[in-house]
Amino acid sequence: MFTGLIESVGHVADATLTSSGVRLSIRAALAAEMHAGDSLAVNGVCLTVVAADAGALHADIGPETARLTTLGCLDSGRLVNLERAMRADSRFGGHFVQGHADGTGTVKAIRADGNARWLTIAFDAAFAPYFIPKGSVALDGVSLTVAALRDGEFDVMIVPFTWDHTNFHALGQGDRVNLECDMIGKYVARAALIASTGHTERGPRRARLRGGVPDTEARSLK
């Protein structure tokens, strides 16, 4: 479990294809504090650290995660948001972030508003039930508030501190970002579906929606 408050920004040192997916190597200041077996959210996707030293940490990305998130196309030098799993005795400053990305969105526009920035994110229609105005969403692992919601897109405001201390300042129009819809909203949507139909699936929605999230993205991404 994570909070969506980024601890550090690392950069990809290497991404090597393996027989089981991709071995990702990340240079980051917090690498010295990581150990094999630790959970780490990388751009909002929960990965297991397989090795770490004073300068870099290493994690494996499975084929499913590579297909459904942006981690499968990370290039050397790309900035990534990092957050360690939350402690039970620490403050909870963001929202419940599982690190199980539901899919990706696309940066449609970036515009300045004083010292802040607005990001407009386009998303697949299958995600529409899980967004509400002023609700929570995680973009590349960052806990944010949906400031405005329209058909197929939403706006979030990025304050200067977040802009400077995440990978957002490196984003450009057309870039993909990992999306995790609010966990509570997904449970509510599934409960409403069962209550209204008496079944978990119905008709043409079967191929698009399963278990409260889009069918192609319903499996765990860890």
Side-chain angles (χ1 to χ4, degrees), residues 132-151:
I132 60 171
K134 310 307 178 186
S136 295
V137 63
L139 292 186
D140 270 358
V142 182
S143 175
L144 296 168
T145 300
V146 176
L149 179 63
R150 298 174 295 278
D151 288 343

Side-chain angles (χ1 to χ4, degrees), residues 45-107:
V45 180
C46 182
L47 300 178
T48 299
V49 175
V50 297
D53 53 43
L57 54 91
H58 313 275
D60 291 331
I61 303 170
E64 184 77 351
T65 302
R67 285 191 295 267
L68 300 182
T69 74
T70 64
L71 298 193
C73 57
L74 289 177
D75 299 322
S76 179
R78 184 73 64 90
L79 298 179
V80 289
N81 296 326
L82 304 175
E83 183 190 355
R84 290 173 292 183
M86 66 174 293
R87 293 167 52 103
D89 61 350
S90 62
R91 290 182 176 178
F92 198 97
H95 74 279
F96 291 115
V97 178
Q98 292 180 292
H100 300 163
D102 294 303
T104 63
T106 303
V107 178

Side-chain angles (χ1 to χ4, degrees), residues 103-127:
T104 63
T106 303
V107 178
K108 187 174 180 179
I110 303 173
R111 59 192 185 278
D113 189 350
N115 291 328
R117 304 290 196 287
W118 286 100
L119 295 184
T120 298
I121 306 297
F123 59 86
D124 189 278
F127 295 121

Side-chain angles (χ1 to χ4, degrees), residues 23-47:
R23 170 64 61 89
L24 190 65
S25 298
I26 300 171
R27 294 198 177 278
L30 56 73
E33 303 176 52
M34 303 297 297
H35 303 89
D38 287 347
S39 292
L40 180 71
V42 178
N43 278 358
V45 180
C46 182
L47 300 178

